[in-house]
Amino acid sequence: MEAKEPKKLKFKGSEYPCCASLTMGIIGGKWKTVILYHLINKTLRYNELRKEMPTVTERTLSLQLKALEEDGLIKRKVYTSKPPLKVEYSLTDFGGTLIPLIQSIADWGDFVAVNYSD
C-alpha cells in the first residue's frame, strides 16, 4: 500500500501543512487577533486603534493592518473629499467569519485572568 502524502492547504499563494497552521498563518502573531477583536462591532480609524492598543508601535500596527487587508480580513476605506485624510478600518464579510473564534480567544483570556491570575 502506498503512503499518502499529507494534503497541503493553500491560501493566497502560501502552502500550509495543516488547518491549524493555515489559521495561525493568517491571524497569528501578537497583534492581528487584537486588531480583529477591536473591529468586531465597530469601524475604527487608525488613531482609535492606536488608543485601544497603546503598546503597539506605529510601524507594527501599519504592517499588521496591511497584512490583514491583503488577506481580505479587513477593509480600509479612505475618505478624500476634504482634508485631513480620513481612513477607517472594518471587518470584511470574510473577516466576520472569524468573530466566533476571536470571541472564544477573548473569553478564554477573561477566564484565565479570573481563575489563574497571581
Side-chain angles (χ1 to χ4, degrees), residues 3-116:
K4 281 187 174 180
E5 272 199 42
K7 182 181 176 192
K8 290 192 170 105
L9 303 170
K10 293 181 181 183
F11 179 77
K12 301 271 183 177
S14 295
E15 284 191 357
Y16 298 90
C18 70
C19 52
S21 170
L22 187 150
T23 303
M24 294 312 295
I26 297 170
I27 66 164
K30 187 173 180 178
W31 297 107
K32 286 183 181 178
T33 305
V34 178
I35 292 166
L36 294 167
Y37 173 77
H38 289 297
L39 294 176
I40 284 178
N41 294 315
K42 57 191 171 208
T43 296
L44 293 173
R45 293 176 71 176
Y46 179 86
N47 283 335
E48 292 171 324
L49 275 168
R50 281 276 315 195
K51 286 177 187 165
E52 295 284 348
M53 302 177 293
T55 58
V56 68
T57 65
E58 287 195 31
R59 175 174 161 70
T60 299
L61 180 57
S62 294
L63 290 171
Q64 298 297 280
L65 286 167
K66 185 174 182 177
L68 289 167
E69 184 182 7
E70 286 173 356
D71 285 341
L73 299 175
I74 64 171
K75 59 187 166 203
R76 179 179 186 263
K77 187 169 183 180
V78 181
Y79 296 89
T80 57
S81 57
K82 59 181 182 178
L85 185 70
K86 180 177 168 184
V87 179
E88 291 182 337
Y89 296 92
S90 59
L91 292 180
T92 61
D93 289 342
F94 179 48
T97 65
L98 284 167
I99 291 173
L101 175 63
I102 303 297
Q103 193 59 59
S104 292
I105 290 169
D107 292 346
W108 188 79
D110 284 338
F111 169 79
V112 170
V114 169
N115 296 290
Y116 294 94

